[in-house]
Amino acid sequence: MNNKTYFIGLMSGTSLDGIDVAIVDIQSVQNSKHHSIALIASQSVVLPDNIKSQLIHLSFEQNVNMQTLGETGVQLAQLFAQSINALLAAQGIDKSQIMAIGSHGLTIRHQPYGAFPFSLQITDPSLLAQLTGIDVVSDFRNMDIAVGGQGAPLVPAFHQALLGETSQGCIVLNLGGIANITVLNPGADVIGYDTGPANTLLDVWCEKHTHKAYDKNGIWASTGRVIPELLTLMLAEPYFAEVYPKSTGKELFNLDWLFNKIDEYQTISSTKLNKKLIPPEDIQRTLLELTVVSAALQIKQFTHTHTLFVCGGGVHNQCLVEQLQQQLPAHQIKATDEVGINSDALEAMAFAWLAYCRVHLISANSPSVTGAKSKVVMGSWYSAKSEKVS
Ligand SMILES: Nc1ncnc2c1ncn2[C@@H]1O[C@H](COP(=O)(O)OP(=O)(O)O)[C@@H](O)[C@H]1O
Ligand SMILES: [Mg+2]
């Protein structure tokens, strides 16, 4: 077995804010099923506007342009390769030191339910392997779906690998485009699922009204007030009451969903408010409250611990974190950075670890999280090896 210990993780989530790259040193620990996992370097690269709008088309249109589908995968692989090659050069790390890249790709459809369940992430792993000269592991989710799972979330197993040793257990809340929790309770199966929307709705509403990609530090939201009746209507969405395992995405929580809720609110509101009269910052503040309340309701169910680690971009939204603390007064809320885990790089690190697991044929799905019927090895391997023809 090759003894290279560096792996690269590449992640770009539902927020479409950028690509996160992490170089991670992963080594097995002798006489133990645990690994030592250390972040060597990481960076985020903003997604160019043209690729972002192509991804929005591919994610939401029923009739997708096939040319765009094919070309976007290639463009993404080129962008991924550029960011990896630049990070390696900046760190003085040679590609020969990297065992494999774990590339999640960009999710354009996630349909784990129904007669023909699937999850579709796009990129071009073959091209990425050739442009970096490093083997690539991709398509992580479909093997879990093939054994009856939802293919998501995959990160709780990594949280367990990182934090599972904590004697009292802990909860990890990832505030990405969608919010998801991982519940670690020593001696019990890991629990993990999406609690509902986080930045995805905050971002689209902010962009629409302030033309900024996101509400920096939650300042705009903090100028608004919660509209309780609208919040109640939003919380009535059946997803919130479903029992886990469960996962969700922008297929449900998108601008159309929000407009429907606002329409419902205006219909039942006795004052029959004109749509324009609702201050947009009040909607932003209500969306922030929706994220906080839907996550807090789930977190309160698990009483074995009051340690809550937060990660993902939402950690930087001060208003969001303050409101979360108000909803969970007994909890000690800390960014994972406080225990030495970079909260912005954590998801990318997870895909480096998933590549490690694929290379070492370790089954890395958590059936208790995804609902899979068995543990399976996830990911397809694209070798970078090539031979010159004479
Ligand atoms: N300083 C900040 N203030 C408020 N929100 C922020 C800040 N920095 C990042 N974010 C939010 O975090 C999101 C990105 O989070 P991320 O964890 O990368 O999500 P995903 O996994 O969906 O890509 C951004 O779209 C933005 O909404
Ligand atoms: Mg992101």
Side-chain angles (χ1 to χ4, degrees):
M1 175 61 69
N2 197 315
N3 59 6
K4 286 186 236 183
T5 60
Y6 283 6
F7 289 78
I8 291 178
L10 263 180
M11 179 60 186
S12 186
T14 46
S15 299
L16 296 182
D17 57 321
I19 307 155
D20 301 322
V21 188
I23 303 174
V24 190
D25 186 1
I26 308 176
Q27 304 193 33
S28 56
V29 176
Q30 249 191 349
N31 302 324
S32 158
K33 61 181 172 61
H34 300 292
H35 313 120
S36 83
I37 302 165
L39 179 65
I40 302 299
S42 65
Q43 72 172 16
S44 292
V45 180
V46 173
L47 268 181
D49 284 345
N50 62 322
I51 298 188
K52 199 170 163 177
S53 50
Q54 286 162 220
L55 288 165
I56 291 169
H57 160 80
L58 295 169
S59 303
F60 293 112
E61 296 298 327
Q62 278 307 312
N63 298 313
V64 161
N65 183 316
M66 292 299 280
Q67 189 79 12
T68 307
L69 178 66
E71 290 184 357
T72 307
V74 173
Q75 288 170 291
L76 284 170
Q78 289 171 341
L79 196 65
F80 292 167
Q82 276 166 19
S83 12
I84 288 174
N85 291 336
L87 183 61
L88 289 175
Q91 295 295 321
I93 298 173
D94 190 79
K95 66 179 188 193
S96 61
Q97 293 172 260
I98 312 292
M99 182 70 208
I101 298 167
S103 174
H104 173 261
L106 269 291
T107 299
I108 55 166
R109 287 287 192 284
H110 181 66
Q111 276 173 225
Y113 305 100
F116 307 105
F118 71 96
S119 187
L120 185 56
Q121 285 76 39
I122 59 164
T123 173
D124 183 339
S126 307
L127 182 61
L128 179 59
Q130 288 307 324
L131 293 177
T132 56
I134 303 169
D135 290 1
V136 174
V137 181
S138 202
D139 185 17
F140 286 98
R141 300 190 187 272
N142 280 303
M143 192 59 89
D144 182 80
I145 294 178
V147 289
Q150 300 206 0
L154 298 183
V155 179
F158 179 64
H159 291 157
Q160 189 177 33
L162 269 183
L163 296 160
E165 291 301 279
T166 326
S167 57
Q168 297 298 309
C170 62
I171 296 176
V172 184
L173 171 64
N174 176 41
L175 294 162
I178 298 292
N180 57 277
I181 55 168
T182 298
V183 181
L184 298 173
N185 189 357
D189 282 342
V190 57
I191 295 170
Y193 55 95
D194 294 339
T195 60
N199 295 306
T200 184
L201 290 176
L202 292 170
D203 286 352
V204 283
W205 190 253
C206 180
E207 163 94 53
K208 193 173 156 48
H209 289 275
T210 70
H211 307 294
K212 298 207 171 87
Y214 64 93
D215 176 16
K216 196 161 187 195
N217 303 341
I219 287 172
W220 187 47
S222 65
T223 63
R225 63 168 195 104
V226 176
I227 306 167
E229 303 85 349
L230 178 59
L231 179 64
T232 304
L233 285 170
M234 288 175 173
L235 285 168
E237 176 62 42
Y239 180 79
F240 295 114
E242 274 171 30
V243 292
Y244 57 85
K246 60 178 181 174
S247 55
T248 189
K250 289 197 291 192
E251 291 83 354
L252 173 61
F253 293 110
N254 54 38
L255 208 48
D256 285 346
W257 180 87
L258 177 56
F259 283 139
N260 284 336
K261 294 294 170 190
I262 294 172
D263 280 349
E264 258 186 83
Y265 166 61
Q266 289 182 313
T267 311
I268 61 157
S269 160
S270 54
T271 53
K272 294 268 185 289
L273 291 168
N274 179 326
K275 199 180 269 189
K276 291 200 181 89
L277 290 181
I278 307 176
E281 62 273 25
D282 286 1
I283 306 270
Q284 185 77 2
R285 179 66 186 82
T286 306
L287 286 173
L288 187 142
E289 197 71 7
L290 174 70
T291 301
V292 166
V293 171
S294 54
L297 277 172
Q298 299 300 322
I299 290 165
K300 279 181 199 160
Q301 289 183 62
F302 304 101
T303 51
H304 66 283
T305 177
H306 282 112
T307 301
L308 177 63
F309 289 114
V310 283
C311 56
V315 166
H316 305 291
N317 185 325
Q318 248 162 276
C319 185
L320 183 60
V321 177
E322 277 166 21
Q323 293 308 316
L324 190 66
Q325 185 70 77
Q326 277 206 10
Q327 289 287 330
L328 298 166
H331 283 73
Q332 249 205 314
I333 304 182
K334 306 177 203 175
T336 54
D337 307 75
E338 288 189 38
V339 284
I341 303 163
N342 181 320
S343 59
D344 289 319
L346 203 151
E347 290 238 318
M349 288 173 72
F351 282 87
W353 179 76
L354 286 166
Y356 169 95
C357 292
R358 170 64 185 84
V359 167
H360 294 276
L361 297 175
I362 296 169
S363 311
N365 63 328
S366 306
S368 58
V369 170
T370 64
K373 291 186 181 70
S374 53
K375 299 262 305 166
V376 281
V377 176
M378 296 181 293
S380 325
W381 192 336
Y382 296 76
S383 171
K385 237 187 212 141
S386 63
E387 281 173 38
K388 279 229 161 65
V389 283
S390 49

